[in-house]
Amino acid sequence: MPAAIEIINLTKTYRSLFGLRQVTAVDNLNLHVDEGEVFGFLGPNGAGKTTTIKILLGILYPSSGECKLFGEQFTSSSAFAPETADSRLKASIGYLPEGPYFHEFLTGREVLAFYGRLYGLGGQNLKKRISETLEIVGMEYAADRLVQHYSKGMRQRVGLAQALLSDPKLLILDEPTVGLDPIARREIRDLLLKLKGLGKTLFICSHELSEVEMVCERIGIVNHGKLIKYGKLVDLAFKDRAVEIHVASLSDETRKKLEALNCITGKHETGLTSIRLPARQAVYDVLDVLKASSTDVVEVLSQKESLEDLFIRTVKEEVA
Amino acid sequence: MNSIVIGLNAYRESIRKKTLIAFLLFAMLVIGTSTFLTVLSPGEEIKMVKDVCLSSISFFGMLIAVFGAGALIPQETDNRTIHTILSKPMRRITYLLGKYLGAQLTILLNLGLMAVLFLVILYLQSRRYVDESQAPFSATALVTMKAMVLVFFEMLVLSALALAVSTLSTSATLPVIVGIFIYIVGHSVNYLKNLSEHAPSEFMSIIIRQFYLILPNFSNFYLRNQLIHNDPYVPQGILKLFAYAFLYAAFGLLIAYLLFRKKDM
């Protein structure tokens, strides 16, 4: 099965008018998102996330490298590349921009009708899709109000509705829960999980790391345009994290053997003896020592790192 | 199809713009009060009305065309609506043509309203100053309509060029300035020819001649003399002028497309 998104050696450099100054927003980025996957694309402000998204959507053009969507080349740095393939592939993408802005003179329903027509929808089919998406995002009650009277959260919901209009295979969501109250945030999160259940591919760019942690399977962290962490969330969160083993008691001989393995032993607040392992790779060696000495193992605790900790640590390490 | 969707939306957006509404109101005010200016030229009242009204329609039509077409893309870039629109399955040429279509609908509506008021004023004037030597109102109306059609042809060209410049700009200022410049120079193209012949240096002569050759000659679209004399004959022929305007507009749109096709938004 081809990847939903494949980014190959993507570089985007912004140049000033006479090329005197240049800023590399995306630097040789490689990324692979499978079909049906929920991928979190993270990074601090100015890391190159939105630039990457815009390239994926054909709003920006890369300086070099390429993007493939569902196995087909989508954007190219070539000035002569045809637009036709881009146009066809765009039909399978739904996009929610960060802080979506709509024509103020339209009502929510008219906004959806406008974007629906751009997808080639019309007549009863368009009306049906508008009703369905309004219901999904919980905006039926305000659909006939002018957008200029909408709150930030309401605009966000209409933005999500327009992204869902064409029932796309791939959803690119830039900060989907920003500006929403906790109830709406939960509703959007549930909706994303529901979309995931329907087999949609979700590419989520967000600073709400707890949301990402709950929804995404894999993440990529970018900084200064470079991909600095990439993989399954569960692997990244547990990788290189300390393991602590609690035992009922420890003989001096076993203690010495454990210290030879660079373990730190001590008294835990529960009265048990704790053994802190230097790295999770040492867990089997330590368990072998404990088994040989017939030590009573009470629990083995693997300290999982939250996505927020992982994100901050990764970015700080990269800066250092 | 998508061009029509974009065009209708651009039209709905444009007719709500305060600047364009202000231009229309000013134009209507000038046309409506043109009858009071007839005191300045006793005996030539209708001529005076025709002169003032046609000049106003051409001038305010130009402002509506350059402000209308020139602001469409920078405004959508500024408020980032363009990102959502361009992420939809549509080629950029479709977007551009849609915007151009929207600008034309806006211009047509405004010119139409101004033309109707102009005809009403002419009708009232023709009843007030009954002159046996003057042609009947129907003849005046026919020339007036022709004059309005030619003003629209001129706006086809101006709005296409303003749209082309707007693809380079982040605000409406540059396309508006360039549009007004093209309008002024376009109406003075015949003088450019004379100027090139009497230029102080060969270099200046070449430069001015290039302007003369490149710029559209808008005086072809200005039927002042025919309108004043109720002469329905258009020397260059309406179809020829349409082809002339169409080619210039197509050139403007081609430039717009080449600049916009791979532009980072």
Side-chain angles (χ1 to χ4, degrees):
Chain A
M1 190 191 288
I5 299 174
E6 196 176 359
I7 297 174
I8 306 155
N9 301 327
L10 189 73
T11 298
K12 176 67 188 176
T13 304
Y14 292 106
R15 288 187 170 81
S16 61
L17 188 59
F18 299 107
L20 296 173
R21 283 195 320 134
Q22 56 181 48
V23 177
T24 302
V26 179
D27 192 357
N28 203 29
L29 184 74
N30 287 282
L31 206 65
H32 180 104
V33 179
D34 287 323
E35 260 197 83
E37 184 183 6
V38 182
F39 189 87
F41 194 50
L42 315 174
N45 291 331
K49 304 183 299 291
T50 302
T51 300
T52 307
I53 285 181
K54 283 185 179 175
I55 293 172
L56 280 174
L57 294 162
I59 297 168
L60 289 178
Y61 287 88
S63 304
S64 64
E66 59 180 294
C67 298
K68 287 182 179 175
L69 290 181
F70 303 103
E72 287 190 58
Q73 182 160 331
F74 183 59
T75 50
S76 161
S77 52
S78 165
F80 302 101
E83 277 189 87
T84 347
D86 294 8
S87 174
R88 189 168 39 79
L89 281 167
K90 279 181 187 175
S92 54
I93 309 175
Y95 168 54
L96 168 70
E98 183 184 356
Y101 186 94
F102 304 109
H103 297 107
E104 302 279 307
F105 57 90
L106 299 176
T107 65
R109 195 183 298 280
E110 285 169 341
V111 164
L112 296 183
F114 170 65
Y115 287 111
R117 287 190 190 102
L118 294 182
Y119 277 116
L121 300 172
Q124 285 305 313
N125 191 23
L126 176 61
K127 278 188 182 171
K128 188 171 157 247
R129 278 306 293 159
I130 291 172
S131 299
E132 283 170 358
T133 51
L134 282 170
E135 193 187 333
I136 288 171
V137 299
M139 276 293 288
E140 310 102 306
Y141 74 99
D144 296 309
R145 274 191 229 159
L146 286 175
V147 169
Q148 59 181 294
H149 299 136
Y150 278 4
S151 68
K152 199 174 173 185
M154 289 162 95
R155 284 169 193 257
Q156 193 75 5
R157 284 164 188 257
V158 170
L160 201 52
Q162 65 79 29
L164 293 169
L165 268 174
S166 67
D167 194 17
K169 287 197 286 181
L170 168 64
L171 276 157
I172 297 178
L173 311 172
D174 199 351
E175 301 290 355
T177 55
V178 73
L180 298 181
D181 59 57
I183 297 168
R185 201 175 288 182
R186 165 71 74 87
E187 285 171 0
I188 298 292
R189 194 170 69 222
D190 290 345
L191 171 63
L192 297 181
L193 290 168
K194 190 176 156 191
L195 292 167
K196 178 184 172 182
L198 291 170
K200 308 279 183 202
T201 308
L202 304 181
F203 188 83
I204 302 170
C205 184
S206 177
H207 283 128
E208 301 286 345
L209 298 178
S210 56
E211 308 279 341
V212 172
E213 198 166 14
M214 280 184 250
V215 177
C216 296
E217 294 148 359
R218 284 199 309 144
I219 58 155
I221 300 177
V222 281
N223 197 19
H224 299 122
K226 285 185 176 152
L227 191 65
I228 52 172
K229 207 71 145 187
Y230 176 54
K232 279 191 175 173
L233 188 54
V234 74
D235 292 342
L236 296 172
F238 281 104
K239 195 181 171 190
D240 295 335
R241 303 312 300 159
V243 172
E244 197 166 288
I245 298 173
H246 293 168
V247 294
S249 61
L250 213 54
S251 67
D252 287 345
E253 189 187 347
T254 311
R255 191 184 300 272
K256 279 177 188 168
K257 282 182 184 173
L258 291 174
E259 282 169 1
L261 288 170
N262 293 326
C263 293
I264 301 161
T265 58
K267 207 71 182 166
H268 193 256
E269 57 192 17
T270 54
L272 298 168
T273 303
S274 69
I275 308 162
R276 275 187 77 86
L277 279 64
R280 58 187 292 114
Q281 287 83 352
V283 71
Y284 295 110
D285 297 336
V286 174
L287 286 173
D288 283 346
V289 171
L290 296 174
K291 189 181 175 187
S293 61
S294 302
T295 307
D296 184 12
V297 176
V298 178
E299 55 191 354
V300 179
L301 300 170
S302 181
Q303 291 175 329
K304 185 189 171 221
E305 191 177 26
S306 72
L307 180 57
E308 188 174 272
D309 292 338
L310 173 73
F311 176 79
I312 292 168
R313 181 172 61 87
T314 307
V315 172
K316 278 186 176 171
E317 278 173 7
E318 205 266 341
V319 171
Chain B
M1 181 60 194
N2 274 352
S3 285
I4 296 172
V5 177
I6 297 279
L8 291 174
N9 196 61
Y11 167 71
R12 289 182 70 179
E13 190 179 7
S14 290
I15 57 172
R16 286 167 172 80
K17 274 187 192 155
K18 286 176 185 138
T19 326
L20 300 193
I21 294 170
F23 288 147
L24 178 66
L25 291 177
F26 264 118
M28 299 296 248
L29 188 72
V30 175
I31 296 166
T33 54
S34 61
T35 47
F36 301 117
L37 297 172
T38 53
V39 291
L40 298 172
S41 52
E44 291 192 313
E45 289 85 359
I46 293 183
K47 183 186 165 194
M48 181 78 175
V49 167
K50 284 177 179 175
D51 219 0
V52 170
C53 290
L54 183 63
S55 307
S56 308
I57 291 173
S58 173
F59 179 73
F60 286 105
M62 174 275 289
L63 288 179
I64 289 167
V66 296
F67 272 91
L72 286 171
I73 296 176
Q75 193 179 323
E76 279 201 341
T77 309
D78 186 46
N79 63 29
R80 292 177 290 147
T81 325
I82 198 166
H83 297 157
T84 319
I85 295 174
L86 291 181
S87 72
K88 303 299 177 234
M90 157 178 71
R91 300 178 70 188
R92 289 197 177 189
I93 183 72
T94 310
Y95 175 80
L96 273 181
L97 289 176
K99 288 290 174 194
Y100 184 66
L101 174 70
Q104 298 325 304
L105 292 175
T106 311
I107 294 166
L108 265 178
L109 174 77
N110 285 285
L111 282 182
L113 290 172
M114 289 190 272
V116 167
L117 184 61
F118 184 18
L119 283 172
V120 169
I121 298 288
L122 279 179
Y123 178 72
L124 294 175
Q125 289 292 312
S126 67
R127 301 236 339 192
R128 191 172 167 194
Y129 303 101
V130 181
D131 184 352
E132 293 299 322
S133 65
Q134 282 285 337
F137 175 72
S138 58
T140 308
L142 177 68
V143 189
T144 308
M145 291 314 292
K146 280 187 178 178
M148 291 300 104
V149 168
L150 292 191
V151 171
F152 177 62
F153 288 174
E154 183 181 341
M155 298 312 141
L156 277 176
V157 179
L158 258 181
S159 53
L161 297 174
L163 191 74
V165 178
S166 77
T167 59
L168 281 175
S169 178
T170 50
S171 78
T173 315
L174 182 68
V176 166
I177 291 171
V178 174
I180 294 173
F181 171 78
I182 293 171
Y183 174 80
I184 294 168
V185 181
H187 274 275
S188 322
V189 158
N190 291 333
Y191 299 109
L192 285 180
K193 194 179 178 186
N194 289 332
L195 200 64
S196 74
E197 286 162 6
H198 300 98
S201 69
E202 184 65 20
F203 177 72
M204 283 294 288
S205 171
I206 291 169
I207 297 287
I208 295 168
R209 190 162 174 76
Q210 298 315 307
F211 271 109
Y212 169 72
L213 292 172
I214 292 168
L215 287 167
N217 189 347
F218 287 148
S219 56
N220 290 333
F221 299 107
Y222 200 63
L223 287 189
R224 180 181 173 273
N225 291 332
Q226 286 87 337
L227 188 62
I228 287 168
H229 299 109
N230 278 324
D231 177 9
Y233 176 68
V234 179
Q236 293 84 355
I238 286 204
L239 280 178
K240 265 190 186 173
L241 284 173
F242 174 71
Y244 181 80
F246 180 82
L247 284 175
Y248 262 104
F251 173 73
L253 290 175
L254 178 69
I255 297 288
Y257 178 57
L258 292 175
L259 294 171
F260 190 65
R261 184 172 175 265
K262 292 274 173 176
K263 191 188 176 194
D264 286 340
M265 301 307 300

